[in-house]
C-alpha cells in the first residue's frame, strides 16, 4: 500500500449525519418508507401497533383489496347476490372508516390502492367518495382496480383530475372521462401513467399527457379508444408501451420525445401508422404489427445506434427488405423476413426466431462473418407444419450459424403437425451437423406420433452433445419410453435401417448416453418402464437431459 | 502509475483504512461526489466518520463482487448471478447487524445495496410479532393500552399467521 503523507479529504456537506449516538435505535423516516414499500399490506397493518411514529408512516401506505366471499353452501342466485352485497357493504364501510381516520390524522399519503369487485353500480358513489377524499389529500401513488360484473364499467369521477401531487396513477377495468367543460387536468407532477383495460373517451389520453410535462412512463394496454396519439415536448419521457389499443380508424402514433429509451408498440389486429424517427436514443424497441401504412422503412433501423434489444414481428416483414444492424444490439427477436433482408449484428448473443415459413429466412439473414460473440443462443418457435423441406432448411441454417460460433439451441414446438417422411430424409445423403453443444426442446400439446417423428428428424439434422427436453411429462410418457429404449439399443442388436440404399438412422451412431434429471442429478434405469415410473411423480415441467456420445 | 490512480482509501469511524479500487468505490455516491470535488489531488482518502469498520468491509465486499460479476457476465445472466451472490452475502450477515448496515448504506448513498438490505429487513420482520420487531429496532411503545387495543381491533384480520421469533 502506498503510504505517502496524504491530503485529507473531509466531508463538507451541510447534511448532518443521520446517526446520532442517542438516536441510534431510530431509523430515519426514508429508510422506514423503503422497508415498508417491500412489505405486504397485511404486514404493514400489523406493524402499525409498534409505535405512533411507525403507525403514521404505515398509514401512508394504505391499500385495500376486497377479500373473496367466504365459501358457503348452496345458495340461490338471489341469496348469493344478497350475500355479495352485504359483503361489499362491510368492506366499503371498513375502507371509508379507515380512510376518514387517515385523512383526519393529516398523514401524507404515500400510496393508496383499492381493489374492488363492484356488484352493483349503485354502490359506485361510495368509491367516488373514497377517490374524492384521496384526491384532495396529497397522495403520491394511486392504484385503482375496479371491476364491475355487469358489462358497464365503473366511471372514475372527474375529481381525480384535482390530484396535484399524484406521481403514479394506475387504473384497471374502469372508464375515464374527459374533465368537465371549464375544468382542467391538474396532474402537474405525474410521472407514471398505467392504464390497463380502461375504456377511454376520444382524446383523453392526449389531453392528460399534454398537461403533464414531467411524465416519465406511459403504459396503455388493451385500452380501446386511444386513437391517434402524439407524444411530443416531453423531455423526461423514457418508457412507452402501447399494446392493442386500436380502434378504427387507423391509429397514428407519433413519438417525438428524444429521451425515450424503451418503446413497445404492439398492434397486431389492424393496420397502423407510426413515426418514431425522433427517438434516436432508444435502447429497447419492440414492434409487432399486422401491417403498416408507411413505417419503419422511412426511418431505417440504423438510426437507433444505442439499441440493445430489438423485437420485430409481423407478417408484413416478408414483403419488404429490412436491414437490421447495430453494434450494441445483443438480443433480437424476429419473425420471418423477406429473403433479401440482412441482419448484421456483430455482438448478438440471443436470437429468438418465430418460424412460420419453411424457408427459415430469419436465420439465413444473419451475417455470420462479422459475428463476434462466442456463444449464440438461438430460440426457434415453430408454429407451422414441419415438412421435409423444413428439416433440410433447419439443418442448413444451423450449419450456417455454427460456422464460427458455439451455438446453444432451444426449439419450442407448439401444437403442429409433422408432415414429413423420415424415409425421404434418409434417402438424402447429407451429413448431420456435428458437435452441437446444447439443444433444448420444449413440447406442448403434441401427439406421440408427431413428437417421435420430430425427434427422429431432429437427430437426423444434428448430433447434439446435450439434448434437453422440457414438457408436461404426464402427457408424453410414451415419447420418453421410446427415446430411452432407442438409446439403449447397441449397434449390433439394431434391426432397423436394413435397406442399403438409405443412410442409417441416428441410433447407429450413438456410442453412449447419460441421463440427468434436474433436481435429481444423474440417474440410470434398467428399462423404459423404470424411467416412466420415476417421471410420473416429478413436477410437470421438469427438465430431462440426455448427454449423448456420438 | 495506474495502480495508485485507480485506488481510493476509505477510513472508517475507528480510523481503519481500506484500500479500494475506484471502480468499486464509485458506486458509493458520497465517495464519488467527494472525490469529484477534490479532483486533481494525488492521494485519495475519504473519511467516513460515522461508519464502523465492519460495515465498510461488508459494503466493499458487496460492490467488489458486483463489479466482478458485471464484467464477467457482460453478455447476459448478470442479474441472476447477482441474485445468487446477494443471497449468499445476506446469509453471512447477522440479522442484528442489518440495521446498522442499512444506516451505513443510506449514509454512503449506495442505491443497489440499499434496496437489497431493505428487502432483507422487510423479509425478516414480515410475519414476526410486534414485540419482536419492537425489540429488533429498539422501538419504544408509546401507545396506551387502550389505543393499542383499538388499532388491533380495527385490523383483526391482519394478525393471523404471526409467528413468534
Amino acid at each position: 500500500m502506498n503510504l505517502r503523507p496524504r491530503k485529507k479529504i473531509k466531508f463538507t456537506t451541510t447534511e448532518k449525519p443521520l446517526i446520532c449516538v442517542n438516536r441510534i435505535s431510530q431509523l430515519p423516516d426514508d429508510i422506514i418508507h423503503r422497508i415498508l414499500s417491500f412489505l405486504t399490506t397485511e404486514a404493514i397493518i400489523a406493524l402499525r401497533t409498534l409505535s405512533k411514529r411507525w403507525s403514521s408512516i404505515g398509514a401512508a401506505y394504505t391499500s385495500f383489496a376486497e377479500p373473496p366471499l367466504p365459501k358457503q353452501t348452496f345458495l340461490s342466485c338471489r341469496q348469493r347476490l344478497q350475500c355479495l352485497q352485504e359483503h361489499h357493504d362491510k368492506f366499503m364501510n371498513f375502507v371509508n372508516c379507515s380512510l376518514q381516520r387517515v385523512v383526519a390524522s393529516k398523514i401524507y399519503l404515500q400510496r393508496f390502492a383499492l381493489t374492488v369487485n363492484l356488484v352493483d353500480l349503485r354502490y359506485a358513489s361510495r368509491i367516488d367518495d373514497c377517490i374524492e377524499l384521496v384526491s384532495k389529500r396529497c397522495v403520491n401513488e394511486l392504484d385503482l382496480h375496479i371491476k364491475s360484473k355487469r358489462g358497464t364499467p365503473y366511471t372514475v369521477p372527474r375529481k381525480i383530475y384535482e390530484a396535484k401531487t399524484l406521481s403514479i396513477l394506475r387504473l384497471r377495468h374502469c372508464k375515464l372521462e374527459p374533465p368537465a367543460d371549464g375544468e382542467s387536468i391538474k396532474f402537474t407532477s405525474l410521472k407514471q401513467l398505467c392504464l390497463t383495460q380502461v375504456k377511454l373517451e376520444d382524446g383523453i389520453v392526449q389531453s392528460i399527457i399534454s398537461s403533464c410535462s414531467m411524465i416519465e412512463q406511459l403504459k396503455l394496454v388493451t385500452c380501446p379508444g386511444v386513437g391517434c396519439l402524439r407524444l411530443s415536448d416531453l423531455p423526461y419521457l423514457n418508457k412507452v408501451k402501447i399494446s392493442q389499443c386500436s380502434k378504427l380508424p387507423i391509429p397514428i402514433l407519433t413519438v417525438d420525445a428524444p429521451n425515450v429509451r424503451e418503446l413497445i408498440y404492439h398492434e397486431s389486429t389492424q393496420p397502423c401508422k407510426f413515426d418514431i424517427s425522433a427517438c434516436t436514443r432508444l435502447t429497447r424497441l419492440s414492434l409487432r404489427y399486422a401491417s403498416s401504412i408507411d413505417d419503419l422503412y422511412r426511418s431505417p433501423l440504423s438510426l437507433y445506434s444505442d439499441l440493445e434489444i430489438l423485437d420485430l414481428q409481423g407478417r408484413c416483414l416478408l414483403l419488404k427488405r429490412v436491414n437490421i444492424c447495430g453494434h450494441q444490439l445483443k438480443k433480437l427477436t424476429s419473425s420471418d423476413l423477406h429473403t433479401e433482408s440482412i441482419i448484421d449484428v456483430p455482438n448478438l448473443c440471443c436470437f429468438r426466431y418465430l418460424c412460420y415459413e419453411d424457408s427459415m429466412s430469419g436465420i439465413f439473414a444473419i451475417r455470420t462473418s462479422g459475428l463476434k460473440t462466442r456463444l449464440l443462443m438461438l430460440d426457434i418457435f415453430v408454429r407451422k407444419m414441419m415438412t421435409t423441406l423444413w428439416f433440410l432448411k433447419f439443418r442448413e441454417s444451423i450449419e450456417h450459424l455454427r460456422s464460427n460460433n458455439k451455438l446453444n439451441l432451444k426449439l419450442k414446438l407448439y401444437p403442429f403437425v409433422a408432415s414429413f417422411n423420415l424415409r425421404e430424409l434418409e434417402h438424402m445423403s447429407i451429413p448431420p451437423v456435428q458437435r452441437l453443444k446444447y439443444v433444448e426442446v420444449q413440447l406442448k400439446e403434441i401427439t406421440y406420433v408427431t413428437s417421435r417423428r420430430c425427434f427422429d428428424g431432429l437427430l437426423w439434422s444434428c448430433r447434439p452433445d446435450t439434448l434437453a427436453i422440457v414438457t408436461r411429462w404426464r402427457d408424453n410418457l410414451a415419447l420418453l419410453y421410446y427415446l430411452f429404449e432407442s438409446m439403449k439399443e447397441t449397434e449390433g442388436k439394431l434391426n432397423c435401417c436394413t435397406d442399403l440404399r438409405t443412410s442409417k438412422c441416428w441410433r447407429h451412431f450413438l456410442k453412449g448416453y447419460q441421463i440427468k434429471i434436474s433436481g435429481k442429478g444423474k440417474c440410470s434405469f434398467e428399462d423404459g418402464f423404470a424411467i416412466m415410473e420415476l417421471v410420473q411423480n416429478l413436477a410437470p415441467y421438469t427438465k430431462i437431459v440426455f448427454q449423448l456420445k456420438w | 502509475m495506474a495502480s495508485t490512480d485507480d485506488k481510493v482509501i476509505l477510513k472508517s469511524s475507528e480510523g481503519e483504512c481500506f484500500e479500494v479500487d475506484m471502480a468499486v468505490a464509485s458506486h458509493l455516491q458520497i465517495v464519488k461526489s467527494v472525490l469529484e470535488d477534490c479532483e486533481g489531488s494525488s492521494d485519495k482518502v475519504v473519511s467516513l466518520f460515522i461508519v464502523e469498520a465492519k460495515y465498510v468491509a461488508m459494503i466493499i465486499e458487496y460492490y467488489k463482487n458486483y463489479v466482478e460479476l458485471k464484467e464477467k457476465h457482460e453478455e447476459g445472466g448478470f442479474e441472476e448471478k447477482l441474485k445468487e451472490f446477494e443471497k449468499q452475502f445476506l446469509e453471512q450477515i447477522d440479522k442484528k447487524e442489518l440495521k446498522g448496515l442499512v444506516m451505513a448504506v443510506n449514509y454512503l448513498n449506495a442505491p443497489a445495496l440499499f434496496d437489497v438490505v431493505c428487502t432483507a429487513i422487510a423479509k425478516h420482520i414480515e410475519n414476526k410479532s410486534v414485540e419482536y420487531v419492537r425489540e429488533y429496532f429498539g422501538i419504544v411503545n408509546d401507545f396506551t393500552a387502550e389505543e393499542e387495543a383499538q388499532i388491533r381491533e380495527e385490523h383483526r384480520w391482519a394478525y393471523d399467521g404471526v409467528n413468534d421469533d
Side-chain angles (χ1 to χ4, degrees):
Chain A
M1 204 163 97
N2 195 338
L3 286 172
R4 279 179 293 156
R6 47 177 92 95
K7 205 170 86 191
K8 299 231 163 159
I9 298 165
K10 286 181 181 172
F11 289 130
T12 46
T13 45
T14 47
E15 229 182 320
K16 58 178 181 213
L18 290 165
I19 307 167
C20 308
V21 183
N22 57 345
R23 285 186 62 207
I24 196 97
S25 63
Q26 295 212 346
L27 293 171
D29 279 7
D30 48 349
I31 297 184
I32 299 181
H33 272 301
R34 196 73 197 143
I35 294 172
L36 289 179
S37 70
F38 290 113
L39 285 169
T40 59
T41 314
E42 284 85 350
I44 294 173
I45 290 172
L47 291 178
R48 288 184 55 186
T49 46
L50 284 174
S51 74
K52 286 187 174 154
R53 184 155 161 266
W54 277 75
S55 173
S56 64
I57 295 176
Y61 288 85
T62 311
S63 131
F64 304 100
E66 188 171 24
L69 194 65
K71 280 227 166 86
Q72 275 162 352
T73 45
F74 181 77
L75 293 172
S76 71
C77 276
R78 212 164 149 194
Q79 278 170 321
R80 195 177 153 69
L81 188 65
Q82 207 175 1
C83 256
L84 268 171
Q85 284 172 348
E86 268 171 30
H87 182 69
H88 186 76
D89 250 8
K90 265 191 208 153
F91 173 69
M92 284 313 294
N93 273 339
F94 166 67
V95 173
N96 277 15
C97 279
S98 315
L99 202 57
Q100 291 283 2
R101 195 168 16 261
V102 171
V103 170
S105 58
K106 300 215 161 85
I107 290 165
Y108 174 71
L109 260 181
Q110 277 284 331
R111 174 168 189 261
F112 177 78
L114 181 64
T115 308
V116 196
N117 260 326
L118 204 56
V119 196
D120 195 321
L121 280 176
R122 274 181 299 169
Y123 296 101
S125 65
R126 307 187 65 176
I127 301 175
D128 289 359
D129 292 345
C130 280
I131 296 174
E132 202 174 314
L133 263 178
V134 172
S135 306
K136 269 193 216 148
R137 301 289 314 168
C138 304
V139 65
N140 195 10
E141 200 180 326
L142 190 59
D143 230 316
L144 298 174
H145 184 174
I146 298 158
K147 244 182 175 173
S148 63
K149 292 234 156 124
R150 311 272 165 86
T152 9
Y154 165 77
T155 310
V156 179
R158 292 188 165 113
K159 290 277 184 214
I160 199 170
Y161 298 121
E162 312 255 308
K164 271 184 229 159
T165 52
L166 205 61
S167 73
I168 300 174
L169 176 64
R170 291 193 198 93
L171 298 178
R172 290 188 70 175
H173 289 293
C174 26
K175 192 179 163 189
L176 204 56
E177 281 182 340
D181 286 341
E183 278 176 34
S184 61
I185 299 169
K186 290 175 183 154
F187 291 157
T188 43
S189 39
L190 197 68
K191 287 184 181 157
Q192 261 188 52
L193 179 67
C194 305
L195 307 179
T196 313
Q197 288 175 285
V198 174
K199 235 178 150 179
L200 297 166
E201 296 234 333
D202 240 12
I204 175 77
V205 175
Q206 187 71 67
S207 42
I208 292 180
I209 301 268
S210 37
S211 75
C212 38
S213 55
M214 299 293 283
I215 200 147
E216 291 168 11
Q217 286 186 31
L218 174 70
K219 198 169 145 191
L220 308 169
V221 179
T222 42
C223 298
V226 172
C228 300
L229 199 57
R230 189 185 168 83
L231 306 175
S232 60
D233 296 327
L234 302 167
Y236 300 102
L237 192 67
N238 65 50
K239 272 188 188 174
V240 180
K241 177 174 181 176
I242 297 172
S243 174
Q244 315 298 5
C245 295
S246 66
K247 198 178 143 194
L248 288 167
I250 291 155
I252 306 171
L253 173 71
T254 316
V255 186
D256 186 10
N259 289 317
V260 176
R261 308 301 294 256
E262 264 190 58
L263 180 73
I264 300 172
Y265 184 55
H266 296 175
E267 201 67 84
S268 56
T269 47
Q270 71 163 83
C272 52
K273 193 172 170 177
F274 52 86
D275 181 6
I276 53 170
S277 52
C279 312
T280 47
R281 297 187 60 206
L282 279 178
T283 55
R284 182 178 173 192
L285 175 64
S286 173
L287 292 170
R288 297 181 191 173
Y289 48 96
S291 67
S292 68
I293 310 299
D294 57 347
D295 49 26
L296 220 55
Y297 316 110
R298 271 179 51 192
S299 50
L301 282 164
S302 54
L303 209 71
Y304 315 109
S305 55
D306 292 346
L307 217 54
E308 285 169 20
I309 302 173
L310 175 66
D311 170 359
L312 207 56
Q313 291 176 39
R315 293 292 188 112
C316 51
L317 293 173
L318 275 168
L319 301 174
K320 264 184 178 170
R321 181 184 155 141
V322 197
N323 285 353
I324 301 172
C325 53
H327 270 264
Q328 302 295 323
L329 203 64
K330 295 200 170 93
K331 285 186 182 174
L332 174 66
T333 307
S334 143
S335 51
D336 296 303
L337 296 172
H338 184 260
T339 40
E340 275 173 38
S341 301
I342 295 172
I343 301 176
D344 186 9
V345 187
N347 291 310
L348 191 68
C349 337
C350 178
F351 180 52
R352 310 179 117 212
Y353 171 51
L354 285 90
C355 170
Y356 295 94
E357 308 284 325
D358 283 338
S359 63
M360 293 255 164
S361 53
I363 298 182
F364 287 109
I366 299 181
R367 264 191 48 191
T368 51
S369 56
L371 219 53
K372 281 185 198 141
T373 32
R374 278 155 290 148
L375 196 88
L376 184 66
M377 272 285 292
L378 183 66
D379 250 9
I380 307 181
F381 296 78
V382 186
R383 289 194 174 272
K384 229 197 101 184
M385 283 198 284
M386 273 175 153
T387 57
T388 312
L389 180 66
W390 189 93
F391 272 107
L392 281 171
K393 283 286 177 187
F394 171 73
R395 199 208 74 86
E396 204 182 323
S397 66
I398 46 179
E399 182 91 78
H400 167 74
L401 281 184
R402 233 193 68 86
S403 48
N404 47 9
N405 286 286
K406 270 193 196 165
L407 188 66
N408 268 1
L409 189 72
K410 219 184 230 179
L411 268 180
K412 293 185 181 164
L413 307 174
Y414 292 118
F416 75 101
V417 196
S419 68
F420 69 97
N421 189 345
L422 203 63
R423 291 276 149 268
E424 219 174 287
L425 282 176
E426 278 161 5
H427 273 293
M428 285 175 252
S429 53
I430 306 170
V433 179
Q434 299 285 350
R435 291 197 316 275
L436 204 57
K437 208 173 136 242
Y438 178 86
V439 176
E440 183 177 314
V441 183
Q442 295 189 8
L443 304 171
K444 237 182 197 177
E445 294 164 47
I446 251 175
T447 61
Y448 166 59
V449 179
T450 309
S451 63
R452 186 182 138 165
R453 285 168 74 184
C454 140
F455 275 98
D456 282 333
L458 182 71
L459 292 171
W460 171 86
S461 2
C462 62
R463 299 278 149 88
D465 294 337
T466 307
L467 175 69
I469 308 173
V470 179
T471 184
R472 195 151 75 189
W473 286 109
R474 228 168 351 108
D475 306 337
N476 288 298
L477 285 173
L479 170 72
L480 192 63
Y481 180 84
Y482 171 73
L483 282 176
F484 182 81
E485 290 290 323
S486 304
M487 285 176 192
K488 223 177 70 181
E489 293 301 329
T490 43
E491 170 70 51
K493 287 179 193 163
L494 282 171
N495 51 7
C496 60
C497 310
T498 44
D499 188 349
L500 289 173
R501 282 167 303 173
T502 63
S503 54
K504 287 184 172 171
C505 70
W506 60 273
R507 291 171 196 77
H508 297 265
F509 299 92
L510 188 69
K511 290 205 180 98
Y513 70 94
Q514 234 175 27
I515 300 177
K516 274 188 190 164
I517 297 180
S518 85
K520 285 201 183 297
K522 274 184 203 167
C523 299
S524 58
F525 302 95
E526 285 205 356
D527 57 19
F529 292 110
I531 192 169
M532 273 162 72
E533 211 172 286
L534 179 92
V535 167
Q536 253 173 345
N537 302 321
L538 291 178
Y541 288 96
T542 310
K543 191 190 276 185
I544 297 188
V545 181
F546 297 92
Q547 269 169 343
L548 308 174
K549 237 174 102 184
W550 300 98
Chain B
M1 258 323 269
S3 65
T4 51
D5 266 6
D6 295 346
K7 299 274 184 194
V8 60
I9 289 166
L10 304 180
K11 202 168 169 189
S12 76
S13 62
E14 298 99 321
E16 202 176 316
C17 290
F18 293 85
E19 200 183 34
V20 187
D21 282 350
M22 196 51 217
V24 174
S26 65
H27 283 277
L28 312 172
Q29 298 293 328
I30 206 158
V31 173
K32 208 173 148 192
S33 59
V34 167
L35 290 177
E36 267 164 16
D37 282 352
C38 311
E39 217 167 315
S41 67
S42 57
D43 245 332
K44 291 158 182 171
V45 181
V46 178
S47 294
L48 311 169
F49 299 116
I50 58 162
V51 184
E52 288 171 49
K54 61 176 177 186
Y55 297 129
V56 178
M58 283 179 198
I59 294 165
I60 291 174
E61 196 208 326
Y62 177 83
Y63 276 107
K64 232 183 204 163
N65 279 283
Y66 184 95
V67 171
E68 260 171 39
L69 286 174
K70 192 149 198 173
E71 251 169 45
K72 225 158 84 190
H73 300 279
E74 218 182 317
E75 288 170 7
F78 165 65
E79 267 145 47
E80 292 105 73
K81 289 279 169 207
L82 185 66
K83 282 254 158 63
E84 235 169 72
F85 163 70
E86 279 167 2
K87 217 177 136 196
Q88 279 174 22
F89 175 74
L90 290 170
E91 272 167 14
Q92 291 166 23
I93 298 173
D94 184 34
K95 294 282 174 288
K96 294 246 153 61
E97 285 174 348
L98 280 178
K99 200 177 71 177
L101 182 61
V102 79
M103 300 249 233
V105 174
N106 187 42
Y107 174 68
L108 295 174
N109 200 354
L113 185 55
F114 184 60
D115 275 4
V116 172
V117 183
C118 280
T119 325
I121 293 177
K123 237 188 211 157
H124 181 58
I125 62 173
E126 201 166 26
N127 294 331
K128 293 283 159 44
S129 70
V130 169
E131 290 72 27
Y132 176 83
V133 181
R134 257 188 215 136
E135 201 200 308
Y136 181 70
F137 287 120
I139 299 168
V140 182
N141 181 11
D142 51 4
F143 281 118
T144 61
E146 293 90 67
E147 279 173 327
E148 197 180 329
Q150 197 195 340
I151 295 180
R152 272 180 195 266
E153 181 56 30
E154 273 171 30
H155 301 288
R156 222 175 324 133
W157 51 280
Y159 290 95
D160 300 333
V162 172
N163 52 356
D164 298 319
D165 198 324

